[in-house]
Structure formats: structure tokens, C-alpha cells
Amino acid sequence: MRAYQVTSFSIPPTMVDTPIPSPGKGEIRLRIHACGLNFADLLMQNGTYQETPELPFVCGMEVAGVVDALGPETDGPEVGTRVAVFGGHGGLAEFGCFDAARAVPLPNGMRFDTAAAFMVTYGTSHLALNYRARMQPGETLLVLGAAGGVGLTAVEIGKLMGANVIACARGADKLSIAEKAGADHLIDSVTDDLRTRVKALGGADVVYDPVGGDLFKAAFRACRPEARILPIGFASGDIPQIPANHLMVKNLTVMGVYWGGYLVFKPQVVTNSLTTLFDWHSEGKLSPHISHTLPLERTDEGMDLLRSRKSTGKVVITTT
């Protein structure tokens, strides 16, 4: 089979021919149809992600496909079942073996590319806004990086939860996409003063931040008392330092959000969230945005789209 493999952190990944793997105890083998790309894939290639596997490994955190085989002592899902899986890695290949407990049967009518673009981004945003921040209808939500993979889902879910959504993104084209997802107010991160604009709108009750850097600092200073700030990631490459005295004075709360961590120490939170999200999708309440769909042999191009921030929503790689 073909697989996009990392053999060294000092050289780019390469497409290799490798034997089709056999599932182990408690695993399923998946005939992979689609794999969603995430910013974490770029970090993993450099060895800087918090859960980077041992070399060599195959990139690709979230996949969708058809169960092809079951390992020993594995009850299901049955062979032939259409599922999505967050495996953490191993998705950018024609076949992959994953923990059966992480397989989620796909709703009728959900396409493989949609499913591969769904779990990490929507799961992160729903867990952050609903479970962590306990966001309430009528509160003001500020979303940074609002046209990116997770940011766009935060806009969409925030609006669905009844928030007044402020979207911050780079340029008119990206802001237009955020507006279509439900944003009430738009801020251009290049030309607008974020702090001034947000304060003029009354300040933020919840800040959703996958960017970090200077935007975090500006958003931090535009928070209302008792606001909740959600660091999701640091796409800017700059991890901000948080002044504890400002937290005290304004009674602010900073809540870290790592969706994958809940799969380890509190998986039921993820299961409950995904159940809600799949129901919302079936009801037509969510519309995943995929800006690029590319075949497996063009995975390098897909990674470059993330690296250069030229994509919006999700980039999906297909293998069939």
C-alpha cells in the first residue's frame, strides 16, 4: 500500500510502498477512503507535537473508511461498517489499523470526506465552548483564526449555541467565509485593531484562540470581567505568557483545551459531544467547509496549504 511516512524529523515525509498492516488485539483494519489534515500534522512532522509517535510513522490524525478486518479479541465494528476514527496518526495511507474503541459508525448519508473533516475540528470546538467554557446564549464569543479548521467550526457552533459571534481572520475572503458560517461581526487581523474593535462591541465573554501570539494579547485585553479564554493552539508559533495579576483584577479564567487528551482520561466527554454533533449534522444544522480535496499523491500540496494558511476550513486527502 502507499503511505505518507515520516522517517526523520530533519527531512520532509515521503510517499512509500509498505506492506498492508495486520490488526492487533482490540484493533480494526480500515480501508481508508479519506483523511483530514490538521495543523498538528505539521508539528508532528517536526517532532514538536505533544504526542509525536516514534519514528518511522505515518501522518494523518483522523480518517474515514470501511472496516476491512478485525484483530484478535475484537468484537466490532463488523467488517463492512462505515466508520470515522481519530487514531492520532496512521491516516495518510490506503489501509490503517486503529483501536476499535475509537471507531464511530457514520450516520447514513455522511460522505467519507465530510466524516474525515468532522471529528477533530467540530469535536474541539464543541468541547471547548459547551463543556469547558459553559457558554450561554446571549454571550459574546470572539473567535481568532475564524476561517481555519477549528476556528470556522467555533463560529458555526457558537452561533448554534446562541452566542453573539465576533470573527477575526486575515483578509476579506476569509472573513466572508466566517460570515457565511454565522459570524455577526467581522474583524480583519491585518488591518483592524482587534482590542479597540472588540471593546467597542462590548467586550468578549469567551475567547476561542487557536492562534496565540499578538492576537491572544489583544483579545486578552478586550475581555469583559469573568470572561473565559480558551487556548486551542498556537498557529502563530508564539506561545503567549499570561499575566496572573490581570487574571485576578478582571476575574478572568484561562482554560486549556486539548481534545485528544479527553480520549485518554475522560473519553465519555468526547463520546457525548460527538453524539450531539453527529445528530446536529443529520438534522442539517452543521455544514462542514472543505476548501481543498486532494488525492493521496498530492499530500505534500495539502500540507503546504496548511503551512501557508491558504486553506479555509479543512483540507482532505482521499485515497480512492
Side-chain angles (χ1 to χ4, degrees), residues 14-38:
T14 56
M15 198 68 67
V16 300
D17 288 319
T18 186
I20 295 174
S22 298
K25 180 180 177 180
E27 290 186 333
I28 58 171
R29 185 172 69 200
L30 205 64
R31 175 65 177 97
I32 297 169
H33 284 252
C35 178
L37 300 189
N38 294 276

Side-chain angles (χ1 to χ4, degrees), residues 189-215:
S189 61
V190 177
T191 60
D192 294 334
D193 185 299
L194 176 66
R195 178 188 178 193
T196 300
R197 288 288 311 281
V198 174
K199 291 190 75 171
L201 292 168
D205 296 298
V206 178
V207 176
Y208 183 99
D209 179 21
V211 180
D214 290 338
L215 288 179

Side-chain angles (χ1 to χ4, degrees), residues 125 128-130 132-136 138-144 154 158 161 163-166 198 203-209 219 222-232 252-253 255 257:
S125 293
L129 299 178
N130 182 66
R132 294 290 280 150
R134 309 288 184 185
M135 191 174 68
Q136 300 300 306
E139 289 194 306
T140 295
L141 166 66
L142 169 61
V143 180
L144 307 181
M161 291 177 65
N164 175 40
V165 181
I166 306 172
V198 174
D205 296 298
V206 178
V207 176
Y208 183 99
D209 179 21
C223 284
R224 300 183 64 192
E226 295 192 328
R228 288 88 76 203
I229 304 169
L230 302 162
I232 308 297
L252 303 179
T253 304
M255 301 176 170
V257 180

